[in-house]
């Protein structure tokens, strides 16, 4: 209901805080738009509709009479006890009166503060009065309640005039509710939690009206006129899903409420009475006429010049509609957004019940600052879409998660799909990058990426890089015990190596990892202990995607457990953080509509392995990118990783990291990898044959990492402790050149070119075979040695004295000097690592 046509001139000088502007001559030759009453009965009106309208009119008449009685009661019956009590009850603040609970939209932001998505029950953004254009305030007052600053909670003059007008016309032409009463009605409707409560807040009855008036009286005592007006402007509905003046301004004009001009302000002010009828996107002509009514009323009151009103009335309606959708479907980072949404809806820190958490998200006006890095997100999305397009001909899918070492912050989360129903090609509701709790995914078998946990367990027990184990071509998994001490394994089953066919020889920790030899890791896991391997994975945060603990069988190291890319990325991030594991987090802070900071899951990090052990893991996994199954996938900076290929090519993985960022990539088939394997795969005209971890996942990882780290200065890994080199580097042995008889400079150069680290030992040795000043001895001697191995060289000082030669007089030895540093890049004078 409205008091907009109350007919009095008002007094602009009493409008608190509302500027009236300079006076200009009023044009008399511009006709005021006719103000015709809204017809209730037409030729098409049914008898039932007419009867209902008349009942409402009689109700209004009776109600108005009752209101007048209530207003006169305190003075006409002051002598009576009953009248005194009635007046006291009416003026007493009602119990349970609250102005909280007005729905406001929540916004999810990335790490830099840009919007990812919005959530709302009603699209509303509460703003202070100084963020609302004064011209909008004047326009609303003019059409809704021009005497607002002159009367109390009840405008007796406006109510009686509206009653007289309605009774005189036989139809509803004016309303009697002032702004405070309208605010109360909107507040009660908005706070309703059920359909029954909403119906009760909107019913046409004396009881409802009296309750509203009682609330209005209380609010007029509690708040200033300016504050009531501000609250009214923020709660009113402006049509087309826009609640509150700020949301309406952004929606219709793509600008803030503080930036509205006269034409825009008059349009929005006019919408309030009948938002559906005056919605300018649906009924532009009706909206224009209503706008002009507002302009005319402002001129009648003298709040704007007649010439200004007329000129503005001739303008067409100009909209710049900004469609704000609720939820993650239209977000540019839909699966990260979905992860954040599920975090709030499932984590008890945000509310004791699911209903309370949903209400907080959709009504609480939250500003949710997340960890997402826009550069990383874009790079990851481009990478998965390039290699596994959304609507690819093979029906395959890809997902990637990126985590920052040392913080656990999720920097990116992508799937090569749009968020939506699976029946539509290129869409899915399942977040393949996350666990079931945050995306409905049951996870995917991780393949050989789990070998990193066996390697870490071996290094944690002190095994040096040069430790060598026999890797048979076939392996019978017996002799294992799980963490309960139970024997696990199957003597009737044998496990083999991957399609590279390696096996039948010894491998070191380094070469076994570089070539991802299955039987080597089965043997290593047995040497370390299945339970120790499982515990290492668990210390690094690994669980099944379902949330269940990891299953413990001999093939654990081969990655049969179904996991999510997010958990795997967080585990590998711990290697990059030198053994510090951090639980993945997506939310940095949350501030509610009042500016109060809410509690969020904190950073949760633990040192789960010795720093030197983590450095050793990084040393070994670095070789995978330079000499192993993913050679050629390096980043031009220190990086490490591990490929993973699941049985029968049902899925492929790559997990890798630098000290600054870690990521895990999965590629597979949502319909079931074993039913739709990636063998002889052709996709969108490109054929791959059988897909390994290095075939598609590693290139996705490389492209996304290069993009994400484009503006990040390289950070180096730390050299592992020397005891890991006690049995050599663990590299494959290569031919060691024979440099005996060469000059020292020539010998050093030749050995360095072959990949070794030579050094000259003192003192020189006697040699009849090699001339003085040439290399006489080398240790180890010519043959085969590991690349990077230290080669000790001794220089000949010529032959010693022969039998019968006269004794050589003693020579005073030269003074000794402390060791001097080697030249840059020259390790010949350095001690072995």
């Amino acid at each position: 209901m409205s008091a907009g046509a109350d007919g009095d001139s008002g007094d602009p000088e009493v409008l608190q805080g509302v500027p009236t502007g300079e006076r200009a001559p009023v044009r008399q030759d511009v006709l005021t738009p006719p103000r015709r009453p809204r017809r209730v009965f037409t030729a098409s009106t049914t008898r039932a509709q007419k009867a209902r309208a008349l009942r409402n009119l009689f109700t209004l008449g009776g109600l108005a009479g009752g209101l007048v009685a209530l207003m006169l009661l305190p003075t006409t019956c002051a002598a009576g006890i009953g009248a005194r009590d009635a007046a006291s009850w009416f003026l007493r603040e009602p119990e349970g009166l609250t102005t909280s609970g007005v729905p406001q939209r929540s916004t999810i932001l990335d790490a830099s503060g840009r919007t990812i998505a919005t959530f709302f029950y009603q699209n509303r953004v509460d703003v202070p009065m100084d963020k609302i254009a004064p011209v909008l305030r004047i326009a609303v007052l003019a059409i809704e309640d021009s005497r607002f600053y002159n009367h109390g909670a009840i405008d007796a003059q406006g109510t009686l005039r509206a009653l007289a007008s309605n009774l005189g016309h036989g139809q509803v032409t004016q309303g009697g509710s002032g702004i405070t009463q309208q605010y109360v009605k909107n507040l009660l409707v908005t706070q309703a939690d059920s359909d029954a409560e909403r119906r009760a807040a909107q019913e046409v009855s004396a009881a409802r009206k009296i309750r509203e008036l009682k609330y209005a009286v209380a609010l007029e005592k509690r708040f200033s006129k300016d504050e009531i007006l501000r609250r009214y402007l923020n709660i009113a509905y402006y049509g087309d899903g826009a609640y509150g003046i700020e949301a309406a301004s952004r929606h219709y004009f793509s600008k803030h409420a503080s930036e509205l001009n006269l034409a825009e302000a008059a349009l929005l002010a006019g919408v309030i009475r009948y938002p559906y009828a005056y919605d300018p996107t649906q009924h532009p002509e009706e909206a224009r006429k209503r706008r002009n009514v507002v302009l005319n009323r402002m001129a009648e009151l003298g709040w704007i010049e007649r010439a200004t009103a007329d000129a503005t009335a001739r303008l067409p309606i100009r909209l710049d509609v900004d469609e704000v959708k609720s939820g993650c479907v239209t977000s540019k980072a839909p699966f990260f957004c979905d992860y954040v949404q599920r975090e709030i809806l499932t984590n008890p820190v945000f509310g004791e019940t699911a209903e309370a958490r949903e209400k907080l998200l959709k009504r609480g006006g939250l500003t949710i600052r997340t960890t997402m890095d826009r550069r990383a997100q874009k790079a990851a999305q481009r990478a998965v879409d390039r290699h596994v397009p959304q609507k690819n001909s093979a029906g395959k899918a890809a997902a990637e998660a990126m985590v920052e070492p040392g913080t656990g912050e999720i920097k990116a989360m992508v799937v090569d799909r749009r968020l939506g129903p699976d029946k539509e090609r290129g869409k899915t509701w399942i977040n393949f990058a996350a666990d079931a709790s945050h995306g409905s995914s049951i996870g995917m078998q991780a393949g050989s990426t789990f070998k990193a946990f066996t390697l870490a367990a071996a290094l944690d027990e002190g095994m040096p890089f040069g430790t060598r184990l026999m890797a048979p071509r076939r392996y019978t998994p017996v002799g294992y015990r799980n963490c309960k001490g139970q024997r696990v394994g199957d003597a009737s089953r044998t496990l083999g190596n991957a399609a590279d066919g390696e096996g039948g020889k010894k491998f070191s920790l380094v070469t076994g990892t570089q070539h991802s030899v299955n039987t080597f890791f089965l043997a290593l896991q047995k040497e370390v202990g299945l339970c120790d391997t499982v515990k290492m994975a668990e210390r690094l945060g690994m669980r099944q995607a379902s949330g269940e603990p990891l299953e413990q069988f001999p093939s654990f190291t081969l990655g049969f457990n179904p996991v999510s890319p997010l958990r795997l990325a967080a585990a590998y991030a711990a290697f990059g953080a030198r053994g510090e594991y951090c639980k993945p987090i997506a939310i940095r802070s949350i501030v509610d509509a009042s500016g109060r900071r809410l509690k969020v899951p904190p950073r949760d990090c633990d040192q789960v392995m010795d720093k030197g052990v983590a450095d050793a893991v990084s040393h070994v996994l670095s070789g995978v990118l330079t000499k192993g199954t993913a050679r050629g996938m390096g980043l031009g900076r220190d990086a490490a990783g591990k490929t993973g290929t699941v049985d029968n090519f049902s899925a492929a993985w790559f997990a890798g990291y630098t000290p600054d960022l870690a990521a895990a990539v999965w590629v597979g088939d949502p319909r079931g990898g074993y039913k739709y394997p990636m063998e002889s795969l052709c996709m969108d005209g490109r054929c791959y044959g059988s897909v390994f971890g290095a075939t598609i996942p590693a290139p996705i990882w490389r492209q996304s990492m290069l993009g994400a780290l484009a503006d990040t200065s390289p950070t180096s890994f730390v050299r592992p402790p020397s005891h890991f080199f006690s049995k050599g580097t663990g590299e494959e042995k290569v031919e060691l050149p024979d440099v005996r008889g060469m000059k020292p400079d020539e010998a050093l150069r030749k050995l360095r070119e072959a990949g070794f680290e030579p050094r000259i030992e003192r003192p020189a040795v006697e040699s009849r075979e090699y001339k003085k000043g040439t290399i006489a001895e080398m240790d180890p001697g010519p043959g085969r040695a590991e690349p990077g191995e230290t080669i000790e060289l001794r220089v000949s000082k010529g032959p010693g004295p022969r039998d019968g030669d006269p004794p050589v007089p003693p020579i005073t030895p030269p003074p000794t000097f402390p060791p001097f540093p080697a030249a840059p890049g020259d390790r010949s004078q350095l001690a072995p690592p």
Side-chain angles (χ1 to χ4, degrees), residues 243-285:
Y243 291 82
I245 188 58
E246 177 68 13
S249 181
R250 294 187 196 179
H251 174 64
Y252 290 119
F253 305 113
S254 296
K255 62 171 62 175
H256 294 290
S258 61
E259 303 169 326
L260 292 170
N261 60 36
L262 174 60
E264 295 161 345
L267 179 71
L268 294 181
V271 168
I272 295 176
R273 180 185 290 186
Y274 300 117
Y276 301 100
Y278 299 134
D279 177 351
T281 64
Q282 300 297 320
H283 309 289
E285 183 57 26

Side-chain angles (χ1 to χ4, degrees), residues 467-759:
T467 302
R468 295 179 181 275
L469 298 173
M470 185 65 187
R473 296 190 183 280
R474 305 294 298 177
Y475 192 94
T476 303
V478 294
Y480 295 87
R481 290 182 182 272
N482 62 22
C483 290
K484 293 181 179 179
Q486 301 167 331
R487 292 185 179 275
V488 290
D490 186 353
S492 65
R493 184 186 180 197
T494 60
L495 300 174
N497 290 305
D500 54 23
E502 292 197 74
K505 63 179 182 180
K506 285 188 174 181
F507 291 88
S508 70
L509 293 186
V510 173
T511 57
T513 302
Q514 288 177 354
H515 298 286
S516 195
V517 184
N518 286 354
T519 55
F520 169 81
F521 272 94
L522 288 165
L524 181 62
Q525 182 179 248
K526 188 173 181 179
E527 186 79 14
V528 172
L530 172 60
C531 183
D532 286 350
T533 300
V534 171
K535 286 183 176 179
M536 175 58 72
E538 290 176 341
R539 280 155 56 186
L540 291 165
M542 295 307 301
R543 295 178 70 85
Q544 294 187 68
S546 64
E548 295 295 319
L550 299 168
E551 293 188 355
Q552 303 175 24
F553 294 102
S555 55
F556 180 89
T557 191
L558 305 184
F560 72 86
N561 275 284
V563 299
S564 69
L566 177 60
R567 280 196 181 271
L568 194 61
Y572 274 60
F575 299 140
R578 305 191 69 200
E580 185 182 31
Y581 170 74
C582 299
K583 292 181 180 178
I585 56 173
I587 300 173
R588 284 184 177 176
S589 65
I590 297 180
V591 178
D592 68 13
S594 65
R596 181 173 59 94
R597 294 179 71 90
L598 303 185
K599 183 179 179 181
V600 300
R603 177 178 178 271
D604 188 358
C605 301
D606 289 302
Q607 192 72 33
V608 298
M609 69 175 70
D610 183 78
K611 291 182 178 180
V613 172
D615 296 335
V617 172
S618 297
H619 175 81
V620 176
L621 293 183
S622 295
V624 174
L625 295 171
T626 57
K627 304 173 184 177
T629 54
R631 56 187 171 274
M633 290 292 128
L635 304 177
R637 62 170 78 199
D638 281 4
K642 184 70 188 74
T643 54
T645 307
V646 184
D647 289 347
N648 301 321
F649 303 101
S650 58
W653 289 76
F654 188 85
Y657 60 96
T658 72
D660 305 298
L661 188 64
V665 179
W666 162 84
V667 176
D669 199 305
R671 300 167 296 179
Y674 287 100
K675 186 176 181 181
Y676 299 95
M678 294 189 293
E679 198 170 15
S680 301
L681 175 67
C682 288
M683 183 166 55
D684 291 354
R686 183 175 180 181
C687 292
Y688 296 90
S690 297
V691 176
F692 295 88
T695 309
I696 300 177
I700 291 175
W701 175 86
R702 183 175 186 273
Q703 180 183 336
S704 61
M705 290 287 283
L706 287 172
L709 295 171
D711 287 341
T712 303
S713 299
T715 305
S716 300
F717 291 135
V718 177
R719 182 176 173 83
S722 59
H723 68 265
F724 287 112
F725 295 92
S726 61
K727 291 186 178 181
T729 64
E731 299 283 357
E732 293 278 10
K733 291 186 177 183
V734 297
E735 192 67 31
L736 175 62
D738 186 352
V739 296
R740 291 173 297 182
M742 296 181 181
K743 292 288 186 180
D745 288 346
E746 183 184 3
L748 291 172
R749 178 183 57 77
K750 190 173 183 66
L751 289 172
R752 289 189 186 116
E753 288 177 351
F756 299 97
E757 295 190 7
R759 67 181 185 184

Side-chain angles (χ1 to χ4, degrees), residues 167-319:
L167 292 176
H169 287 87
Q171 54 190 355
V172 179
T173 60
Q174 295 185 23
S177 296
I179 280 179
T180 305
Q181 294 173 56
Q182 292 184 59
Y183 168 61
V184 168
K185 179 179 179 180
N186 283 327
L187 182 65
L188 295 175
V189 172
T190 299
Q191 291 177 338
D193 290 324
S194 66
D195 291 339
E197 291 180 0
R198 276 185 283 275
R199 285 193 298 270
Q202 294 174 302
E203 67 179 353
V204 180
S205 69
R208 192 267 295 175
K209 195 65 178 180
I210 291 173
R211 181 176 63 151
E212 285 182 9
L213 288 172
K214 184 174 172 63
Y215 270 63
V217 171
L219 291 178
E220 288 269 356
K221 291 180 179 179
R222 183 183 294 187
F223 301 118
S224 68
K225 286 286 191 178
D226 280 351
E227 177 61 14
I228 292 173
L229 177 60
R230 184 195 72 82
R231 288 168 177 262
Y232 171 70
L233 295 175
N234 277 295
I235 201 173
Y237 181 51
Y238 294 82
D240 206 28
Y243 291 82
I245 188 58
E246 177 68 13
S249 181
R250 294 187 196 179
H251 174 64
Y252 290 119
F253 305 113
S254 296
K255 62 171 62 175
H256 294 290
S258 61
E259 303 169 326
L260 292 170
N261 60 36
L262 174 60
E264 295 161 345
L267 179 71
L268 294 181
V271 168
I272 295 176
R273 180 185 290 186
Y274 300 117
Y276 301 100
Y278 299 134
D279 177 351
T281 64
Q282 300 297 320
H283 309 289
E285 183 57 26
E286 293 300 318
R288 187 189 66 80
K289 292 178 181 178
R290 177 63 176 170
R291 179 201 66 182
N292 293 349
V293 169
V294 175
L295 291 168
N296 181 65
R297 178 63 178 152
M298 295 174 74
E300 283 182 351
L301 293 169
W303 294 355
I304 62 172
E305 306 298 341
R306 171 60 64 184
T308 302
D310 295 342
T312 306
R314 289 192 292 269
L315 296 175
I317 290 179
R318 296 187 179 95
L319 302 179

